[in-house]
Amino acid sequence: MLFCPTRALAAATMLLGSPAFADDTVRMSGWGGSEVAIVNGLLTNVLADDLAKEGITVKYEPVDGDFSQFIINGLSAGTAPDLFYVDIFWARSIFGADQAAPVTQDVSGFAANLLEAFTYDGKLYAVPKDFNTLAVHFNKDIFDDAGVAYPSDDDTWTTLQEKLVAVHKALPEVDGLCIVPEYARFGAFALATGWSPFDSQGRTVLDERFRRAFDFYTGLVESGAAVMAADAGQSWSGGCLASERAAIALEGAWIISALRDSAPNMNLGTVRMPKDPESGKRGNIVFTVGWTVNAASKVSRAAAKVAELLTTEEAQQWVLEQGLALPSRTGLADNPWLRGGQPEQMTSRVVLEGLSDDHVMPYFFGDVGGSWMQPINAALNSVILGEADADTALASAQSAFDRMLAK
């Protein structure tokens, strides 16, 4: 057969113009709630052309309820999506079971500490999509109506508590804060004291520093500064802020999108977490989520490409401007958008500053995973509800940790 340059050129042109993943459909799952609109917008408004160019169709399947259980059950049953969120506090249960595919894309542009959070046995198993820290978000109008000074970066636990009590006294229908009996919020106060979840020998010791933070947090309700979120018909402090049941909320930047939907006209302010009055230090928790490819996926290469597209600078810039979370790419840390004067910009800037607080720890508990928090959560709940005193509750929690970490 004679070689035909024209035919060869036409064939080469066809190959160069063809999609890399012809007709691959990637099932992708993340949390439900306020994230659904943002992820749909990202796929439709930012990534549609890129996905079409690659020949990939994304089937987005958000999950309401217990997402980690949905993923774990799905992986066991062989029904899990091709690409899904993993939170650092339960990620190792997936990584350790060889249920996640190692990341192969270039990750040099991502924050090193976030990459470390998703590294297991020397391999990276998730691409960090974003991060958050905690901050004090408040309704300026409530404080104005109560004649109470706004929360500020100079607040200690004590001065913030005094402001919340004063708001409730002036406006009995408004509570200062809706608290949840969970380490995910209480932990920032414990860390401010200099306490660490694990000592040098890998043990959890609920020492006098922890006790001081525990007594403060559990005493907020009795002091008149707070109410249990569940007693206000809410599952989180942001719900109370949005409904004007509470004056402040302790949340991350995710509260911006929630308030945009439920309280778009709120006169919002945001300041950093209060300082421990004894140590003079702030504590904070870093929350981060990554995109992980199912190791059993039949379209794993296409799924990895979707993860790459979802975490480009362009995609992360768009997500940042929606007020969901802060970018995991270091190139966006000094983003001009963060220097703006709109409430969502100022809130994001304060949340970013939380990374520089004095005692900051990731929402991550090694191989123990999320079960590590259960003894603390149970102790918080029992004391706040009046079912046990602090001595009894903490003794029970310490015993639980001793058993858990005895190996």
Side-chain angles (χ1 to χ4, degrees), residues 89 134 177-190 195 210 213-214 217-218 220 228-230 234-237 250-251 254 273 285 287 363 365 370 372-382 384:
F89 84 86
L134 296 175
L177 165 69
C178 284
I179 61 172
V180 290
E182 297 177 359
Y183 179 81
R185 300 297 177 272
F186 158 73
F189 295 92
W195 174 82
F210 181 94
F214 185 90
Y217 194 83
T218 57
L220 286 170
M228 283 275 275
Q234 297 288 341
S235 61
W236 68 306
S237 68
L250 306 177
E251 301 292 341
W254 54 74
M273 291 293 286
I285 300 173
F287 303 85
Y363 193 55
F365 313 105
W372 178 88
M373 297 182 291
Q374 292 174 1
I376 293 176
N377 294 351
L380 290 167
N381 192 61
S382 64
I384 293 172

Side-chain angles (χ1 to χ4, degrees), residues 106-122:
D106 178 14
V107 292
S108 58
F110 293 85
N113 56 346
L114 300 183
L115 293 172
E116 183 180 354
F118 294 115
T119 299
Y120 180 77
D121 279 352

Side-chain angles (χ1 to χ4, degrees), residues 289-304:
V289 174
W291 286 110
T292 288
V293 174
N294 183 346
S297 170
K298 295 180 180 179
V299 291
S300 59
R301 288 181 59 251

